[in-house]
Amino acid sequence: MVALAVPAALVVAPGFIGPEAPAARPAAPAWQQAPATLSARQGLSPLNESAPVPVPSAVAAQLEPLLKADGGGTFTGLVQDALTGQILFDRGGSDNRIPASNMKLLTAVAALRALGPEHRFSTTVVAGPSANQVVLRGGGDVLLGAGQSDPDQVMGHAGLASLAASTVAALQEKGTTGEVTVLVDDSLFNGPALNPAWEKGDVEAGELAPLYPLAMNSARFSAGVTTGPRPQDSALTTAEAFAAQLEAAGATAGITVADGVQRVTSPAAPQASILAEEQSATVSQQVDLMLQTSDNYLAEVLGRMSAVAAGQPGSNDAATAAVRAQLGELGIPTDSMQLADVCGLALGNQVSARQFAEVVRAITSGTDTRLRAALAGFPVAGLTGTLDARYGDDSTARGAGLVRAKTGTLNSVIALSGYVVDADGRLLVFSFIGNGLAPGAAGNKEALDRAATALAACGCR
């Protein structure tokens, strides 16, 4: 019995004395343990208003050796302290120059002030003058997509497929069946569709196209194609694409679409019954896209829409007048300016580096906070937009990620206007413009990039 009792006790005993204590776990490695303290906050510190202002003579000593033209021509430039407006460098800063695409900075300011950062353009479909007619009415959105509206995008924010589907639903509600005719109303813009100040060769190369108040892909055949020929009548091209989407959407609703699209003989009345509507991305988003990609067509449309917002015609002349008026209201002297267009393609534009620096200063630190919406549009050196492939060599790498500036390039013109935070934490605005340059000379672009890099690295005391 004893021999049997001992093994039995070993089996029963754990029920009374509990399970055996588990073996101690090995200590977790340090990298798996909860931190005892939080790490220091990463990122840029807020700007310090008490940061020292660079000494002008020290800034000039940095910039003068760098701003040298490669093979002919001259550079002008101006640097200011953004907070105080103090001029830190001035080489012909008040001289009028051909600014190329730096003109888009002026247009950005005008659009944000005249229209407002959150404004959107509406593309509508209204009932036509006769039965079974619909009118596609342009409202200034030239970034329409062919497919469904995409709220996460700027290009294609409003889509023709979505507009067509809403139109079919409205027609069904009205009891419309059978064949429908599509008309297009592009009467929001008037005057010459092509600015006579533009060179014929530039238009043929696709730098610009006739201006209309509705277009797909900023008057490109595809959103992914940014060079080469463009549609020469973006209003009709867009209306034809809408008609195709309407045909597809109406197939199951007993609605067909007549061949061909015509312009309305007279604009649709403002009170015409709206069947469907799609809204664009905000003006702020469009301004950012315009600056990042230097989109000429979008710039010209934003200029015309700024004029329309002020109660003026949607024309070339009204656009330049609207830009000038908005700058004047902002307190930037415009008497010496000559504006031939609002995108910078025309050689007749004349603007000084001082005026551009003042515009950048207004955007970064002026009293009109609506202009802050343009900050995201400035290309970042070595990273985004038209500066993404620059600032990669040893002489400019220190400016990568720090310089934020709008580029400008024509055959014998190069410009760079933007802002940097210097090594002491001071916000500086600048504008450098080269005219009469040797076409294609690589050293000119490098000269501007090195100058902006020097400002970013400047303690200059």
Side-chain angles (χ1 to χ4, degrees):
M1 291 178 66
V2 172
L4 293 173
V6 171
L10 293 175
V11 172
V12 175
F16 295 97
I17 63 175
E20 183 179 354
R25 292 183 180 180
W31 59 271
Q32 287 185 341
Q33 297 181 22
T37 59
L38 295 178
S39 60
R41 183 176 179 179
Q42 301 296 309
L44 296 174
S45 301
L47 291 176
N48 183 358
E49 294 184 5
S50 64
V53 178
V55 175
S57 60
V59 176
Q62 290 282 336
L63 298 185
E64 286 291 0
L66 300 176
L67 290 173
K68 293 182 177 178
D70 180 6
T74 58
F75 285 115
T76 60
L78 191 112
V79 179
Q80 285 180 285
D81 176 61
L83 183 63
T84 65
Q86 180 183 347
I87 294 176
L88 307 175
F89 175 79
D90 186 352
R91 184 204 278 184
S94 298
D95 296 347
N96 267 348
R97 308 285 272 177
I98 303 170
S101 282
N102 274 204
M103 276 294 301
K104 294 182 178 70
L105 289 171
L106 312 187
T107 305
V109 164
L112 290 171
R113 284 176 54 85
L115 296 160
E118 299 306 313
H119 183 77
R120 299 176 187 269
F121 305 134
S122 293
T123 304
T124 56
V125 179
V126 301
S130 301
N132 281 38
Q133 287 185 336
V134 297
V135 180
L136 177 66
R137 183 163 60 187
D141 187 0
V142 295
L143 303 180
L144 292 163
Q148 298 291 328
S149 298
D150 188 343
D152 295 326
Q153 298 297 319
V154 181
M155 186 88 73
H157 188 93
L160 295 178
S162 297
L163 188 64
S166 297
T167 302
V168 167
L171 291 174
Q172 282 183 296
E173 190 174 333
K174 290 165 63 73
T176 301
T177 57
E179 188 176 73
V180 171
T181 300
V182 174
L183 306 175
V184 61
D185 179 357
D186 58 4
S187 60
L188 187 62
F189 289 175
N190 51 38
L194 279 175
N195 190 330
W198 295 331
E199 297 287 337
K200 181 180 178 181
D202 288 335
V203 175
E204 291 175 346
E207 293 294 332
L208 256 169
L211 271 292
Y212 295 93
L214 74 164
M216 294 187 295
N217 312 311
S218 198
R220 293 286 187 188
F221 288 107
S222 169
V225 177
T226 58
T227 59
R230 294 173 178 262
Q232 293 303 293
D233 190 331
S234 67
L236 277 180
T237 300
T238 303
E240 289 166 355
F242 170 73
Q245 293 288 2
L246 191 64
E247 177 84 33
T252 59
I255 295 173
T256 60
V257 178
D259 292 337
V261 174
Q262 301 293 325
R263 282 186 166 84
V264 293
T265 54
S266 59
Q271 67 272 20
S273 174
I274 295 178
L275 302 175
E277 178 180 15
E278 290 291 325
Q279 293 195 324
S280 72
T282 65
V283 167
S284 172
Q285 292 171 314
Q286 295 195 46
V287 162
D288 287 349
L289 178 64
M290 172 191 70
L291 294 177
Q292 284 281 336
T293 61
S294 203
D295 189 318
N296 291 326
Y297 197 93
L298 181 56
E300 290 294 325
V301 168
L302 288 174
R304 290 191 180 207
M305 293 305 293
S306 298
V308 170
Q312 300 300 312
S315 66
N316 292 315
D317 291 344
T320 56
V323 169
R324 184 187 296 276
Q326 289 297 333
L327 294 174
E329 291 179 14
L330 195 59
I332 296 173
T334 62
D335 290 348
S336 63
M337 282 185 184
Q338 298 177 31
L339 304 184
D341 68 10
V342 296
C343 73
L345 188 63
L347 295 175
N349 293 313
Q350 293 284 313
V351 186
S352 71
R354 180 187 295 267
Q355 288 161 328
F356 281 116
E358 287 288 359
V359 165
V360 177
R361 185 175 171 231
I363 292 171
T364 59
S365 49
T367 57
D368 189 342
T369 56
R370 292 174 296 180
L371 304 186
R372 302 289 188 275
L375 287 172
F378 282 80
V380 180
L383 294 175
T384 63
T386 54
L387 285 181
D388 64 346
R390 290 163 64 169
Y391 292 79
D393 62 27
D394 292 341
S395 65
T396 58
R398 290 180 303 164
L402 300 178
V403 175
R404 289 163 167 77
K406 179 69 193 80
T407 58
T409 307
L410 292 173
N411 197 34
S412 59
V413 176
I414 191 167
L416 192 70
S417 298
Y419 64 97
V420 297
V421 177
D422 74 2
D424 287 329
R426 200 76 191 182
L427 178 63
L428 310 178
V429 298
F430 65 88
S431 178
F432 305 126
I433 307 174
N435 277 191
L437 305 174
N444 293 318
K445 188 180 294 184
E446 293 173 0
L448 298 193
D449 291 348
R450 289 172 182 171
T453 296
L455 283 179
C458 190
C460 298
R461 284 184 279 162

